[in-house]
Amino acid sequence: MKTVLRLLSAILLLMAAASPAATYGFTPDTYASTSVLAGGRWVKISVSETGMYLISNADLRAWGFRDPSAVRVYGYGGRRIPDHFTRASYTDDLPLVQSAVTPRGVVFYGVGTDTRLDVPDTEYHYRSRNPYSLCGYYFLSDSGAPLREIPSEGREPGLNKATTFVEGLFHETDLTSPMQSGHLLLGEDFRYNKSQTFSFNMPGRVEGSEVWMQTDFYASAATATVLGFTANGEELPLSGRDRCEGVKEGGDTCRVRKTFVPKGERLVLGIDARVPGGATVAALDNISIAYVRALRMPASEPLSFTIPKGLSPVLSGADDKTAIWDVTDPLDIVAVSAVRTSDGLSWSSEVYGRRAYVEWREAGSFLTPRLTSMSVAAQDLHGE
């Protein structure tokens, strides 16, 4: 057997040597001639989730910036970079992020490590986490760059209104690597604690509306691991798909989806796993929850929401101090020009298709980035 493997390896090496390696890239003008990091003073920060962030004037001064209004934000966050190398998915160097300079500090839209994925032919969605990073990273500098413009757009609202949206919640705890390689990371172990609960708050949920759940579970055992679910103590109907099949080698991932109608704005999801003896792995990967939420401004924190194509959002509780950004492309943010109606602020997008928005107010609450490095050494990855 070893002789055969050596022979196959030799043949593959000869084939590789005989065939010139194909290389793929972009034209030279795609790349910056000099990195923005080549000069100036730089501070590195991190964001733990996607949302609106405030870098306070006090923090900026403590980090060595004399004039907080001159600080600019650079970067593209922590979402996983596609494995397929295309021009559309490639970001060169550190782009200048659109931000707002307010009396309290610099406000910007930060991107964490989660990516939204849609369930076909539904409004339900779930998340996929970047397995290679715990945070998204951004860089701050006061090197004199002007603020990047945030253009405005928006049309009169149409007849088809959106007064609700589908909100998403997510739970994932990356604790172990079952294969000791690759990007599959698992959380809570069910081999010894076979019944566990997970709590979710669902603010603004429309009472009587359907809640959607997706659970990814991984098991490695000789026979099947069967899963049971409860919502606020009530058993959910069983399905033949609620199981990870028994395998002789490796393991099996099962994806369970269910819908139910609980009461109130709090969900306690119970998972019971019938784990066979001798199982080497039986662990939760992640849980996604989607529910119908009223399109109404919270008391103080920003609200992120996604609206299907062809609908005009009606944001209740909004006033003249409410800023609305279209963040469908976080690197190309557009400010929304909305009109006041009897029900709140409303508008229609000038771009057809599903759009992602965030509303915020200067006096409201924000997420806070974490300082990672007070001083980033000058570097020019594009230089010779």
Side-chain angles (χ1 to χ4, degrees):
M1 183 63 181
K2 291 183 178 180
T3 302
V4 174
L5 290 176
R6 292 194 187 99
L7 180 60
L8 288 174
S9 299
I11 292 174
L12 290 174
L13 288 172
L14 288 173
M15 291 175 64
S19 302
T23 57
Y24 301 92
F26 307 127
T27 57
D29 58 0
T30 302
Y31 309 97
S33 58
T34 303
S35 173
V36 294
L37 288 171
R41 182 175 180 274
W42 293 87
V43 167
K44 185 179 180 181
I45 59 174
S46 64
V47 299
S48 58
E49 60 184 283
T50 298
M52 295 299 297
Y53 285 81
L54 169 67
I55 316 172
S56 68
N57 290 330
D59 281 342
L60 290 171
R61 291 192 179 98
W63 298 344
F65 296 110
R66 294 183 178 180
D67 181 7
S69 67
V71 175
R72 304 293 178 256
V73 184
Y74 295 78
Y76 46 83
R79 287 177 183 163
R80 183 176 176 179
I81 299 173
D83 295 331
H84 190 201
F85 187 62
T86 66
R87 186 66 187 89
S89 64
Y90 174 72
T91 302
D92 185 57
D93 203 46
L94 288 177
L96 176 61
V97 174
Q98 294 155 298
S99 59
V101 176
T102 74
R104 297 173 60 191
V106 177
V107 174
F108 73 102
Y109 184 75
V111 178
T113 60
D114 294 343
T115 298
R116 169 177 165 146
L117 299 173
D118 295 303
V119 179
D121 302 321
T122 76
E123 288 302 318
Y124 299 135
H125 54 90
Y126 57 100
R127 301 186 202 175
S128 176
R129 178 166 292 173
N130 184 351
Y132 303 113
S133 180
L134 297 176
C135 303
Y137 294 95
Y138 289 88
F139 296 80
L140 310 178
S141 179
D142 58 355
S143 55
L147 272 175
R148 187 179 162 197
E149 179 188 5
I150 302 178
S152 298
E153 68 174 35
R155 299 184 302 184
E156 290 288 323
L159 297 177
N160 296 322
K161 309 292 187 182
T163 58
T164 63
F165 69 100
V166 177
E167 177 69 283
L169 307 173
F170 188 65
H171 170 84
E172 181 174 351
T173 305
D174 295 331
L175 301 175
T176 61
S177 173
M179 307 301 292
Q180 302 300 312
S181 65
H183 56 73
L184 177 61
L185 301 172
L186 302 177
E188 291 81 1
D189 192 339
F190 277 73
R191 288 176 298 169
Y192 312 110
N193 185 7
K194 297 179 173 59
S195 180
Q196 302 184 39
T197 58
F198 304 87
S199 298
F200 299 89
N201 291 321
M202 301 182 291
R205 175 176 172 259
V206 177
E207 188 63 34
S209 60
E210 191 174 70
V211 173
W212 176 87
M213 174 216 75
Q214 175 178 285
T215 298
D216 290 337
F217 197 94
Y218 181 94
S220 179
T223 57
T225 297
V226 181
L227 304 176
F229 295 86
T230 60
N232 292 346
E234 296 187 9
E235 291 187 3
L236 300 181
L238 295 175
S239 165
R241 298 180 179 178
D242 302 351
R243 55 193 289 140
C244 294
E245 299 296 342
V247 292
K248 293 183 179 180
E249 295 181 2
D252 180 47
T253 295
C254 59
R255 171 165 288 179
V256 178
R257 290 175 175 171
K258 294 185 181 296
T259 56
F260 47 92
V261 183
K263 294 181 180 180
E265 296 184 347
R266 182 170 174 80
L267 170 64
V268 178
L269 182 69
I271 302 179
D272 297 300
R274 291 193 307 188
V275 183
T280 56
V281 182
L284 177 69
D285 188 352
N286 61 73
I287 302 170
S288 290
I289 301 293
Y291 70 95
V292 180
R293 179 172 180 173
L295 191 50
R296 181 174 58 247
M297 289 183 56
S300 61
E301 66 271 14
L303 177 67
S304 298
F305 54 96
T306 299
I307 301 299
K309 62 184 178 182
L311 298 181
S312 296
V314 180
L315 179 61
S316 66
D319 54 30
D320 295 337
K321 296 181 180 179
T322 303
I324 304 171
W325 284 0
D326 184 330
V327 292
T328 307
D329 182 352
L331 294 179
D332 193 12
I333 294 173
V334 176
V336 172
S337 298
V339 298
R340 178 166 292 282
T341 69
S342 58
D343 299 318
L345 294 181
S346 186
W347 67 95
S348 290
S349 174
E350 296 182 12
V351 180
Y352 186 72
R354 189 188 69 206
R355 310 303 296 173
Y357 300 98
V358 62
E359 68 78 18
W360 60 279
R361 288 154 288 181
E362 284 188 11
S365 59
F366 295 88
L367 298 169
T368 302
R370 177 177 174 270
L371 176 65
T372 301
S373 176
M374 280 278 288
S375 180
V376 179
Q379 51 196 287
D380 189 3
L381 301 179
H382 295 280
E384 294 182 359

